[in-house]
PDB file of all heavy atoms in Angstrom:
ATOM      1  N   GLY A1271     119.589  84.366 128.100  1.00 89.00           N
ATOM      2  CA  GLY A1271     118.876  85.249 129.023  1.00 89.00           C
ATOM      3  C   GLY A1271     119.310  86.691 128.980  1.00 89.00           C
ATOM      4  O   GLY A1271     118.635  87.564 129.527  1.00 89.00           O
ATOM      5  N   VAL A1272     120.425  86.989 128.312  1.00 93.00           N
ATOM      6  CA  VAL A1272     120.912  88.367 128.225  1.00 93.00           C
ATOM      7  C   VAL A1272     120.116  89.113 127.156  1.00 93.00           C
ATOM      8  O   VAL A1272     119.791  88.568 126.107  1.00 93.00           O
ATOM      9  CB  VAL A1272     122.425  88.382 127.898  1.00 93.00           C
ATOM     10  CG1 VAL A1272     122.908  89.794 127.574  1.00 93.00           C
ATOM     11  CG2 VAL A1272     123.224  87.809 129.065  1.00 93.00           C
ATOM     12  N   LEU A1273     119.797  90.375 127.424  1.00 95.00           N
ATOM     13  CA  LEU A1273     119.083  91.189 126.446  1.00 95.00           C
ATOM     14  C   LEU A1273     120.048  91.620 125.342  1.00 95.00           C
ATOM     15  O   LEU A1273     121.214  91.938 125.614  1.00 95.00           O
ATOM     16  CB  LEU A1273     118.485  92.422 127.116  1.00 95.00           C
ATOM     17  CG  LEU A1273     117.456  92.170 128.227  1.00 95.00           C
ATOM     18  CD1 LEU A1273     117.061  93.488 128.881  1.00 95.00           C
ATOM     19  CD2 LEU A1273     116.225  91.474 127.667  1.00 95.00           C
ATOM     20  N   ILE A1274     119.560  91.644 124.112  1.00 96.00           N
ATOM     21  CA  ILE A1274     120.359  92.125 122.986  1.00 96.00           C
ATOM     22  C   ILE A1274     119.648  93.322 122.373  1.00 96.00           C
ATOM     23  O   ILE A1274     118.500  93.222 121.933  1.00 96.00           O
ATOM     24  CB  ILE A1274     120.558  91.018 121.931  1.00 96.00           C
ATOM     25  CG1 ILE A1274     121.327  89.843 122.547  1.00 96.00           C
ATOM     26  CG2 ILE A1274     121.306  91.570 120.710  1.00 96.00           C
ATOM     27  CD1 ILE A1274     121.441  88.633 121.643  1.00 96.00           C
ATOM     28  N   ASP A1275     120.335  94.457 122.388  1.00 97.00           N
ATOM     29  CA  ASP A1275     119.806  95.706 121.818  1.00 97.00           C
ATOM     30  C   ASP A1275     120.434  95.856 120.435  1.00 97.00           C
ATOM     31  O   ASP A1275     121.615  96.179 120.315  1.00 97.00           O
ATOM     32  CB  ASP A1275     120.190  96.870 122.741  1.00 97.00           C
ATOM     33  CG  ASP A1275     119.643  98.199 122.259  1.00 97.00           C
ATOM     34  OD1 ASP A1275     119.077  98.240 121.160  1.00 97.00           O
ATOM     35  OD2 ASP A1275     119.807  99.197 122.978  1.00 97.00           O
ATOM     36  N   ASN A1276     119.651  95.579 119.403  1.00 97.00           N
ATOM     37  CA  ASN A1276     120.178  95.511 118.037  1.00 97.00           C
ATOM     38  C   ASN A1276     119.722  96.720 117.219  1.00 97.00           C
ATOM     39  O   ASN A1276     118.537  96.920 117.016  1.00 97.00           O
ATOM     40  CB  ASN A1276     119.704  94.219 117.370  1.00 97.00           C
ATOM     41  CG  ASN A1276     120.319  94.014 116.006  1.00 97.00           C
ATOM     42  OD1 ASN A1276     121.527  94.161 115.837  1.00 97.00           O
ATOM     43  ND2 ASN A1276     119.515  93.678 115.017  1.00 97.00           N
ATOM     44  N   GLU A1277     120.697  97.520 116.757  1.00 97.00           N
ATOM     45  CA  GLU A1277     120.387  98.651 115.885  1.00 97.00           C
ATOM     46  C   GLU A1277     120.914  98.368 114.484  1.00 97.00           C
ATOM     47  O   GLU A1277     121.944  97.714 114.316  1.00 97.00           O
ATOM     48  CB  GLU A1277     120.984  99.954 116.443  1.00 97.00           C
ATOM     49  CG  GLU A1277     120.389 100.334 117.793  1.00 97.00           C
ATOM     50  CD  GLU A1277     120.598 101.797 118.148  1.00 97.00           C
ATOM     51  OE1 GLU A1277     120.808 102.613 117.231  1.00 97.00           O
ATOM     52  OE2 GLU A1277     120.556 102.106 119.353  1.00 97.00           O
ATOM     53  N   ILE A1278     120.192  98.871 113.494  1.00 97.00           N
ATOM     54  CA  ILE A1278     120.494  98.563 112.105  1.00 97.00           C
ATOM     55  C   ILE A1278     120.565  99.855 111.297  1.00 97.00           C
ATOM     56  O   ILE A1278     119.689 100.708 111.412  1.00 97.00           O
ATOM     57  CB  ILE A1278     119.400  97.660 111.490  1.00 97.00           C
ATOM     58  CG1 ILE A1278     119.274  96.347 112.264  1.00 97.00           C
ATOM     59  CG2 ILE A1278     119.650  97.402 110.012  1.00 97.00           C
ATOM     60  CD1 ILE A1278     118.068  96.274 113.164  1.00 97.00           C
ATOM     61  N   ILE A1279     121.624  99.976 110.492  1.00 96.00           N
ATOM     62  CA  ILE A1279     121.736 101.073 109.530  1.00 96.00           C
ATOM     63  C   ILE A1279     121.593 100.473 108.142  1.00 96.00           C
ATOM     64  O   ILE A1279     122.400  99.625 107.734  1.00 96.00           O
ATOM     65  CB  ILE A1279     123.103 101.784 109.653  1.00 96.00           C
ATOM     66  CG1 ILE A1279     123.300 102.344 111.060  1.00 96.00           C
ATOM     67  CG2 ILE A1279     123.233 102.889 108.613  1.00 96.00           C
ATOM     68  CD1 ILE A1279     124.735 102.787 111.345  1.00 96.00           C
ATOM     69  N   GLU A1280     120.556 100.879 107.421  1.00 96.00           N
ATOM     70  CA  GLU A1280     120.303 100.341 106.083  1.00 96.00           C
ATOM     71  C   GLU A1280     119.494 101.364 105.290  1.00 96.00           C
ATOM     72  O   GLU A1280     118.376 101.699 105.669  1.00 96.00           O
ATOM     73  CB  GLU A1280     119.542  99.011 106.176  1.00 96.00           C
ATOM     74  CG  GLU A1280     119.053  98.465 104.852  1.00 96.00           C
ATOM     75  CD  GLU A1280     120.155  98.338 103.802  1.00 96.00           C
ATOM     76  OE1 GLU A1280     121.182  97.699 104.093  1.00 96.00           O
ATOM     77  OE2 GLU A1280     119.994  98.911 102.709  1.00 96.00           O
ATOM     78  N   PRO A1281     120.047 101.892 104.193  1.00 95.00           N
ATOM     79  CA  PRO A1281     119.354 102.956 103.455  1.00 95.00           C
ATOM     80  C   PRO A1281     118.210 102.479 102.558  1.00 95.00           C
ATOM     81  O   PRO A1281     117.340 103.267 102.202  1.00 95.00           O
ATOM     82  CB  PRO A1281     120.474 103.578 102.613  1.00 95.00           C
ATOM     83  CG  PRO A1281     121.475 102.483 102.442  1.00 95.00           C
ATOM     84  CD  PRO A1281     121.408 101.653 103.692  1.00 95.00           C
ATOM     85  N   ASN A1282     118.208 101.202 102.187  1.00 95.00           N
ATOM     86  CA  ASN A1282     117.231 100.697 101.220  1.00 95.00           C
ATOM     87  C   ASN A1282     115.910 100.355 101.918  1.00 95.00           C
ATOM     88  O   ASN A1282     115.850  99.439 102.744  1.00 95.00           O
ATOM     89  CB  ASN A1282     117.809  99.466 100.513  1.00 95.00           C
ATOM     90  CG  ASN A1282     116.932  98.970  99.389  1.00 95.00           C
ATOM     91  OD1 ASN A1282     115.736  98.757  99.566  1.00 95.00           O
ATOM     92  ND2 ASN A1282     117.529  98.769  98.223  1.00 95.00           N
ATOM     93  N   ALA A1283     114.844 101.071 101.573  1.00 96.00           N
ATOM     94  CA  ALA A1283     113.546 100.891 102.237  1.00 96.00           C
ATOM     95  C   ALA A1283     113.007  99.478 102.057  1.00 96.00           C
ATOM     96  O   ALA A1283     112.411  98.903 102.988  1.00 96.00           O
ATOM     97  CB  ALA A1283     112.539 101.906 101.699  1.00 96.00           C
ATOM     98  N   GLN A1284     113.198  98.898 100.881  1.00 97.00           N
ATOM     99  CA  GLN A1284     112.720  97.533 100.637  1.00 97.00           C
ATOM    100  C   GLN A1284     113.457  96.526 101.502  1.00 97.00           C
ATOM    101  O   GLN A1284     112.860  95.575 102.014  1.00 97.00           O
ATOM    102  CB  GLN A1284     112.880  97.175  99.159  1.00 97.00           C
ATOM    103  CG  GLN A1284     111.905  97.912  98.241  1.00 97.00           C
ATOM    104  CD  GLN A1284     112.165  97.589  96.782  1.00 97.00           C
ATOM    105  OE1 GLN A1284     113.273  97.746  96.286  1.00 97.00           O
ATOM    106  NE2 GLN A1284     111.138  97.130  96.094  1.00 97.00           N
ATOM    107  N   HIS A1285     114.766  96.740 101.675  1.00 96.00           N
ATOM    108  CA  HIS A1285     115.539  95.850 102.526  1.00 96.00           C
ATOM    109  C   HIS A1285     115.096  95.965 103.982  1.00 96.00           C
ATOM    110  O   HIS A1285     114.990  94.957 104.688  1.00 96.00           O
ATOM    111  CB  HIS A1285     117.036  96.169 102.408  1.00 96.00           C
ATOM    112  CG  HIS A1285     117.625  95.740 101.109  1.00 96.00           C
ATOM    113  ND1 HIS A1285     118.924  96.041 100.743  1.00 96.00           N
ATOM    114  CD2 HIS A1285     117.098  95.030 100.077  1.00 96.00           C
ATOM    115  CE1 HIS A1285     119.169  95.535  99.550  1.00 96.00           C
ATOM    116  NE2 HIS A1285     118.075  94.921  99.126  1.00 96.00           N
ATOM    117  N   VAL A1286     114.850  97.181 104.437  1.00 96.00           N
ATOM    118  CA  VAL A1286     114.375  97.391 105.809  1.00 96.00           C
ATOM    119  C   VAL A1286     113.041  96.669 106.020  1.00 96.00           C
ATOM    120  O   VAL A1286     112.838  95.982 107.036  1.00 96.00           O
ATOM    121  CB  VAL A1286     114.233  98.899 106.119  1.00 96.00           C
ATOM    122  CG1 VAL A1286     113.507  99.110 107.452  1.00 96.00           C
ATOM    123  CG2 VAL A1286     115.612  99.566 106.167  1.00 96.00           C
ATOM    124  N   ALA A1287     112.135  96.790 105.061  1.00 97.00           N
ATOM    125  CA  ALA A1287     110.826  96.136 105.164  1.00 97.00           C
ATOM    126  C   ALA A1287     110.978  94.614 105.219  1.00 97.00           C
ATOM    127  O   ALA A1287     110.303  93.935 106.009  1.00 97.00           O
ATOM    128  CB  ALA A1287     109.940  96.543 103.990  1.00 97.00           C
ATOM    129  N   ALA A1288     111.877  94.076 104.394  1.00 97.00           N
ATOM    130  CA  ALA A1288     112.100  92.629 104.389  1.00 97.00           C
ATOM    131  C   ALA A1288     112.711  92.167 105.709  1.00 97.00           C
ATOM    132  O   ALA A1288     112.358  91.097 106.231  1.00 97.00           O
ATOM    133  CB  ALA A1288     113.020  92.252 103.223  1.00 97.00           C
ATOM    134  N   TYR A1289     113.625  92.952 106.262  1.00 96.00           N
ATOM    135  CA  TYR A1289     114.257  92.648 107.555  1.00 96.00           C
ATOM    136  C   TYR A1289     113.181  92.621 108.646  1.00 96.00           C
ATOM    137  O   TYR A1289     113.112  91.672 109.449  1.00 96.00           O
ATOM    138  CB  TYR A1289     115.322  93.705 107.841  1.00 96.00           C
ATOM    139  CG  TYR A1289     116.301  93.399 108.957  1.00 96.00           C
ATOM    140  CD1 TYR A1289     117.602  93.893 108.896  1.00 96.00           C
ATOM    141  CD2 TYR A1289     115.943  92.660 110.081  1.00 96.00           C
ATOM    142  CE1 TYR A1289     118.525  93.646 109.898  1.00 96.00           C
ATOM    143  CE2 TYR A1289     116.859  92.411 111.097  1.00 96.00           C
ATOM    144  CZ  TYR A1289     118.146  92.908 110.994  1.00 96.00           C
ATOM    145  OH  TYR A1289     119.051  92.664 112.001  1.00 96.00           O
ATOM    146  N   LYS A1290     112.322  93.615 108.672  1.00 96.00           N
ATOM    147  CA  LYS A1290     111.260  93.679 109.685  1.00 96.00           C
ATOM    148  C   LYS A1290     110.331  92.476 109.577  1.00 96.00           C
ATOM    149  O   LYS A1290     109.918  91.906 110.600  1.00 96.00           O
ATOM    150  CB  LYS A1290     110.469  94.985 109.537  1.00 96.00           C
ATOM    151  CG  LYS A1290     111.241  96.221 109.969  1.00 96.00           C
ATOM    152  CD  LYS A1290     110.411  97.491 109.801  1.00 96.00           C
ATOM    153  CE  LYS A1290     111.175  98.725 110.296  1.00 96.00           C
ATOM    154  NZ  LYS A1290     110.404  99.975 110.111  1.00 96.00           N
ATOM    155  N   GLU A1291     110.030  92.071 108.348  1.00 96.00           N
ATOM    156  CA  GLU A1291     109.159  90.908 108.145  1.00 96.00           C
ATOM    157  C   GLU A1291     109.830  89.639 108.657  1.00 96.00           C
ATOM    158  O   GLU A1291     109.193  88.768 109.260  1.00 96.00           O
ATOM    159  CB  GLU A1291     108.819  90.770 106.655  1.00 96.00           C
ATOM    160  CG  GLU A1291     107.851  89.657 106.330  1.00 96.00           C
ATOM    161  CD  GLU A1291     106.517  89.770 107.046  1.00 96.00           C
ATOM    162  OE1 GLU A1291     106.084  90.908 107.364  1.00 96.00           O
ATOM    163  OE2 GLU A1291     105.911  88.705 107.319  1.00 96.00           O
ATOM    164  N   LEU A1292     111.134  89.535 108.454  1.00 95.00           N
ATOM    165  CA  LEU A1292     111.900  88.386 108.945  1.00 95.00           C
ATOM    166  C   LEU A1292     111.829  88.313 110.469  1.00 95.00           C
ATOM    167  O   LEU A1292     111.658  87.228 111.047  1.00 95.00           O
ATOM    168  CB  LEU A1292     113.358  88.527 108.484  1.00 95.00           C
ATOM    169  CG  LEU A1292     114.187  87.269 108.282  1.00 95.00           C
ATOM    170  CD1 LEU A1292     113.556  86.343 107.256  1.00 95.00           C
ATOM    171  CD2 LEU A1292     115.601  87.653 107.860  1.00 95.00           C
ATOM    172  N   VAL A1293     111.950  89.472 111.109  1.00 95.00           N
ATOM    173  CA  VAL A1293     111.861  89.533 112.571  1.00 95.00           C
ATOM    174  C   VAL A1293     110.458  89.154 113.045  1.00 95.00           C
ATOM    175  O   VAL A1293     110.291  88.402 114.019  1.00 95.00           O
ATOM    176  CB  VAL A1293     112.245  90.944 113.078  1.00 95.00           C
ATOM    177  CG1 VAL A1293     111.934  91.109 114.564  1.00 95.00           C
ATOM    178  CG2 VAL A1293     113.727  91.220 112.816  1.00 95.00           C
ATOM    179  N   ASN A1294     109.443  89.646 112.343  1.00 94.00           N
ATOM    180  CA  ASN A1294     108.056  89.337 112.720  1.00 94.00           C
ATOM    181  C   ASN A1294     107.761  87.845 112.663  1.00 94.00           C
ATOM    182  O   ASN A1294     106.909  87.337 113.391  1.00 94.00           O
ATOM    183  CB  ASN A1294     107.080  90.087 111.804  1.00 94.00           C
ATOM    184  CG  ASN A1294     107.077  91.586 112.061  1.00 94.00           C
ATOM    185  OD1 ASN A1294     107.452  92.035 113.144  1.00 94.00           O
ATOM    186  ND2 ASN A1294     106.680  92.359 111.067  1.00 94.00           N
ATOM    187  N   GLN A1295     108.468  87.137 111.791  1.00 93.00           N
ATOM    188  CA  GLN A1295     108.224  85.705 111.616  1.00 93.00           C
ATOM    189  C   GLN A1295     109.100  84.839 112.516  1.00 93.00           C
ATOM    190  O   GLN A1295     109.012  83.608 112.457  1.00 93.00           O
ATOM    191  CB  GLN A1295     108.451  85.317 110.151  1.00 93.00           C
ATOM    192  CG  GLN A1295     107.450  85.937 109.183  1.00 93.00           C
ATOM    193  CD  GLN A1295     107.799  85.661 107.730  1.00 93.00           C
ATOM    194  OE1 GLN A1295     108.775  84.983 107.421  1.00 93.00           O
ATOM    195  NE2 GLN A1295     106.996  86.201 106.823  1.00 93.00           N
ATOM    196  N   ALA A1296     109.941  85.469 113.337  1.00 92.00           N
ATOM    197  CA  ALA A1296     110.885  84.705 114.172  1.00 92.00           C
ATOM    198  C   ALA A1296     110.388  84.665 115.621  1.00 92.00           C
ATOM    199  O   ALA A1296     110.382  85.695 116.299  1.00 92.00           O
ATOM    200  CB  ALA A1296     112.272  85.343 114.104  1.00 92.00           C
ATOM    201  N   PRO A1297     109.980  83.494 116.109  1.00 89.00           N
ATOM    202  CA  PRO A1297     109.445  83.412 117.474  1.00 89.00           C
ATOM    203  C   PRO A1297     110.527  83.367 118.563  1.00 89.00           C
ATOM    204  O   PRO A1297     110.215  83.433 119.746  1.00 89.00           O
ATOM    205  CB  PRO A1297     108.667  82.088 117.447  1.00 89.00           C
ATOM    206  CG  PRO A1297     109.384  81.263 116.430  1.00 89.00           C
ATOM    207  CD  PRO A1297     109.926  82.203 115.405  1.00 89.00           C
ATOM    208  N   ASP A1298     111.802  83.249 118.156  1.00 89.00           N
ATOM    209  CA  ASP A1298     112.867  83.024 119.137  1.00 89.00           C
ATOM    210  C   ASP A1298     113.664  84.293 119.460  1.00 89.00           C
ATOM    211  O   ASP A1298     114.778  84.216 119.958  1.00 89.00           O
ATOM    212  CB  ASP A1298     113.825  81.945 118.620  1.00 89.00           C
ATOM    213  CG  ASP A1298     114.434  82.303 117.275  1.00 89.00           C
ATOM    214  OD1 ASP A1298     113.836  83.130 116.555  1.00 89.00           O
ATOM    215  OD2 ASP A1298     115.512  81.775 116.948  1.00 89.00           O
ATOM    216  N   LEU A1299     113.087  85.466 119.189  1.00 90.00           N
ATOM    217  CA  LEU A1299     113.841  86.708 119.384  1.00 90.00           C
ATOM    218  C   LEU A1299     113.225  87.586 120.477  1.00 90.00           C
ATOM    219  O   LEU A1299     113.317  88.802 120.432  1.00 90.00           O
ATOM    220  CB  LEU A1299     113.911  87.491 118.064  1.00 90.00           C
ATOM    221  CG  LEU A1299     114.589  86.775 116.891  1.00 90.00           C
ATOM    222  CD1 LEU A1299     114.417  87.573 115.602  1.00 90.00           C
ATOM    223  CD2 LEU A1299     116.076  86.536 117.174  1.00 90.00           C
ATOM    224  N   GLN A1300     112.638  86.924 121.501  1.00 84.00           N
ATOM    225  CA  GLN A1300     111.921  87.694 122.534  1.00 84.00           C
ATOM    226  C   GLN A1300     112.843  88.631 123.312  1.00 84.00           C
ATOM    227  O   GLN A1300     112.420  89.704 123.740  1.00 84.00           O
ATOM    228  CB  GLN A1300     111.232  86.743 123.543  1.00 84.00           C
ATOM    229  CG  GLN A1300     110.201  85.817 122.937  1.00 84.00           C
ATOM    230  CD  GLN A1300     110.806  84.462 122.558  1.00 84.00           C
ATOM    231  OE1 GLN A1300     112.011  84.339 122.357  1.00 84.00           O
ATOM    232  NE2 GLN A1300     109.970  83.454 122.453  1.00 84.00           N
ATOM    233  N   ASN A1301     114.078  88.236 123.501  1.00 92.00           N
ATOM    234  CA  ASN A1301     115.004  89.054 124.290  1.00 92.00           C
ATOM    235  C   ASN A1301     115.822  90.021 123.441  1.00 92.00           C
ATOM    236  O   ASN A1301     116.851  90.525 123.877  1.00 92.00           O
ATOM    237  CB  ASN A1301     115.967  88.155 125.093  1.00 92.00           C
ATOM    238  CG  ASN A1301     115.280  87.546 126.303  1.00 92.00           C
ATOM    239  OD1 ASN A1301     114.180  87.958 126.677  1.00 92.00           O
ATOM    240  ND2 ASN A1301     115.924  86.563 126.913  1.00 92.00           N
ATOM    241  N   VAL A1302     115.340  90.264 122.225  1.00 96.00           N
ATOM    242  CA  VAL A1302     116.079  91.140 121.311  1.00 96.00           C
ATOM    243  C   VAL A1302     115.201  92.328 120.929  1.00 96.00           C
ATOM    244  O   VAL A1302     114.043  92.157 120.545  1.00 96.00           O
ATOM    245  CB  VAL A1302     116.492  90.380 120.023  1.00 96.00           C
ATOM    246  CG1 VAL A1302     117.401  91.259 119.167  1.00 96.00           C
ATOM    247  CG2 VAL A1302     117.176  89.062 120.374  1.00 96.00           C
ATOM    248  N   SER A1303     115.751  93.534 121.054  1.00 96.00           N
ATOM    249  CA  SER A1303     115.039  94.733 120.590  1.00 96.00           C
ATOM    250  C   SER A1303     115.678  95.205 119.292  1.00 96.00           C
ATOM    251  O   SER A1303     116.881  95.014 119.070  1.00 96.00           O
ATOM    252  CB  SER A1303     115.102  95.838 121.642  1.00 96.00           C
ATOM    253  OG  SER A1303     116.445  96.248 121.852  1.00 96.00           O
ATOM    254  N   PHE A1304     114.857  95.811 118.438  1.00 96.00           N
ATOM    255  CA  PHE A1304     115.339  96.233 117.123  1.00 96.00           C
ATOM    256  C   PHE A1304     115.024  97.708 116.898  1.00 96.00           C
ATOM    257  O   PHE A1304     113.908  98.156 117.136  1.00 96.00           O
ATOM    258  CB  PHE A1304     114.667  95.409 116.017  1.00 96.00           C
ATOM    259  CG  PHE A1304     115.082  93.965 115.987  1.00 96.00           C
ATOM    260  CD1 PHE A1304     114.418  93.033 116.774  1.00 96.00           C
ATOM    261  CD2 PHE A1304     116.134  93.539 115.192  1.00 96.00           C
ATOM    262  CE1 PHE A1304     114.791  91.695 116.757  1.00 96.00           C
ATOM    263  CE2 PHE A1304     116.516  92.211 115.171  1.00 96.00           C
ATOM    264  CZ  PHE A1304     115.840  91.281 115.950  1.00 96.00           C
ATOM    265  N   ILE A1305     116.033  98.435 116.424  1.00 96.00           N
ATOM    266  CA  ILE A1305     115.835  99.826 115.990  1.00 96.00           C
ATOM    267  C   ILE A1305     116.463  99.949 114.604  1.00 96.00           C
ATOM    268  O   ILE A1305     117.649  99.638 114.423  1.00 96.00           O
ATOM    269  CB  ILE A1305     116.498 100.835 116.949  1.00 96.00           C
ATOM    270  CG1 ILE A1305     115.883 100.752 118.350  1.00 96.00           C
ATOM    271  CG2 ILE A1305     116.371 102.254 116.405  1.00 96.00           C
ATOM    272  CD1 ILE A1305     116.602 101.596 119.385  1.00 96.00           C
ATOM    273  N   TRP A1306     115.658 100.368 113.635  1.00 96.00           N
ATOM    274  CA  TRP A1306     116.168 100.541 112.269  1.00 96.00           C
ATOM    275  C   TRP A1306     116.405 102.017 111.984  1.00 96.00           C
ATOM    276  O   TRP A1306     115.573 102.866 112.297  1.00 96.00           O
ATOM    277  CB  TRP A1306     115.162 100.002 111.250  1.00 96.00           C
ATOM    278  CG  TRP A1306     115.145  98.510 111.155  1.00 96.00           C
ATOM    279  CD1 TRP A1306     115.886  97.717 110.333  1.00 96.00           C
ATOM    280  CD2 TRP A1306     114.315  97.610 111.912  1.00 96.00           C
ATOM    281  NE1 TRP A1306     115.581  96.396 110.533  1.00 96.00           N
ATOM    282  CE2 TRP A1306     114.622  96.297 111.491  1.00 96.00           C
ATOM    283  CE3 TRP A1306     113.349  97.790 112.913  1.00 96.00           C
ATOM    284  CZ2 TRP A1306     114.003  95.180 112.029  1.00 96.00           C
ATOM    285  CZ3 TRP A1306     112.737  96.676 113.459  1.00 96.00           C
ATOM    286  CH2 TRP A1306     113.054  95.380 113.019  1.00 96.00           C
ATOM    287  N   HIS A1307     117.549 102.308 111.380  1.00 96.00           N
ATOM    288  CA  HIS A1307     117.864 103.657 110.901  1.00 96.00           C
ATOM    289  C   HIS A1307     117.937 103.565 109.381  1.00 96.00           C
ATOM    290  O   HIS A1307     118.882 102.988 108.838  1.00 96.00           O
ATOM    291  CB  HIS A1307     119.208 104.145 111.448  1.00 96.00           C
ATOM    292  CG  HIS A1307     119.316 104.104 112.943  1.00 96.00           C
ATOM    293  ND1 HIS A1307     118.826 105.105 113.757  1.00 96.00           N
ATOM    294  CD2 HIS A1307     119.857 103.169 113.771  1.00 96.00           C
ATOM    295  CE1 HIS A1307     119.066 104.797 115.020  1.00 96.00           C
ATOM    296  NE2 HIS A1307     119.686 103.627 115.057  1.00 96.00           N
ATOM    297  N   GLN A1308     116.934 104.089 108.698  1.00 96.00           N
ATOM    298  CA  GLN A1308     116.952 104.042 107.231  1.00 96.00           C
ATOM    299  C   GLN A1308     117.835 105.183 106.717  1.00 96.00           C
ATOM    300  O   GLN A1308     117.373 106.218 106.243  1.00 96.00           O
ATOM    301  CB  GLN A1308     115.533 104.134 106.664  1.00 96.00           C
ATOM    302  CG  GLN A1308     115.488 103.726 105.187  1.00 96.00           C
ATOM    303  CD  GLN A1308     114.101 103.865 104.602  1.00 96.00           C
ATOM    304  OE1 GLN A1308     113.131 103.417 105.191  1.00 96.00           O
ATOM    305  NE2 GLN A1308     114.020 104.503 103.441  1.00 96.00           N
ATOM    306  N   LEU A1309     119.130 104.949 106.808  1.00 95.00           N
ATOM    307  CA  LEU A1309     120.144 105.955 106.495  1.00 95.00           C
ATOM    308  C   LEU A1309     121.345 105.263 105.867  1.00 95.00           C
ATOM    309  O   LEU A1309     121.554 104.064 106.053  1.00 95.00           O
ATOM    310  CB  LEU A1309     120.618 106.660 107.779  1.00 95.00           C
ATOM    311  CG  LEU A1309     119.601 107.385 108.658  1.00 95.00           C
ATOM    312  CD1 LEU A1309     120.223 107.706 110.012  1.00 95.00           C
ATOM    313  CD2 LEU A1309     119.130 108.662 107.976  1.00 95.00           C
ATOM    314  N   THR A1310     122.164 106.024 105.156  1.00 94.00           N
ATOM    315  CA  THR A1310     123.482 105.525 104.775  1.00 94.00           C
ATOM    316  C   THR A1310     124.386 105.620 105.999  1.00 94.00           C
ATOM    317  O   THR A1310     124.071 106.303 106.977  1.00 94.00           O
ATOM    318  CB  THR A1310     124.093 106.351 103.635  1.00 94.00           C
ATOM    319  OG1 THR A1310     124.344 107.679 104.120  1.00 94.00           O
ATOM    320  CG2 THR A1310     123.162 106.413 102.430  1.00 94.00           C
ATOM    321  N   SER A1311     125.521 104.948 105.936  1.00 95.00           N
ATOM    322  CA  SER A1311     126.456 105.026 107.066  1.00 95.00           C
ATOM    323  C   SER A1311     126.944 106.456 107.266  1.00 95.00           C
ATOM    324  O   SER A1311     127.126 106.915 108.398  1.00 95.00           O
ATOM    325  CB  SER A1311     127.639 104.085 106.846  1.00 95.00           C
ATOM    326  OG  SER A1311     128.338 104.417 105.666  1.00 95.00           O
TER     327      SER A1311
END
């Protein structure tokens, strides 16, 4: 029941796209928010 605010740092555009697709296909992540930063560390 706790909210999870998940931020991601990943420079590779293809990897970011694949990650987003994985999230789109996951029905059990309703309480999780995602922010992607397409950047190096």
Side-chain angles (χ1 to χ4, degrees):
V1272 171
L1273 299 174
I1274 298 173
D1275 182 354
N1276 186 47
E1277 297 199 22
I1278 301 104
I1279 301 167
E1280 172 54 54
N1282 186 309
Q1284 289 176 305
H1285 288 174
V1286 170
Y1289 194 149
K1290 289 180 178 178
E1291 184 58 29
L1292 208 59
V1293 170
N1294 290 337
Q1295 294 173 1
D1298 58 338
L1299 300 172
Q1300 299 93 337
N1301 284 348
V1302 187
S1303 63
F1304 291 87
I1305 298 173
W1306 284 270
H1307 305 277
Q1308 195 182 312
L1309 302 166
T1310 66
S1311 60

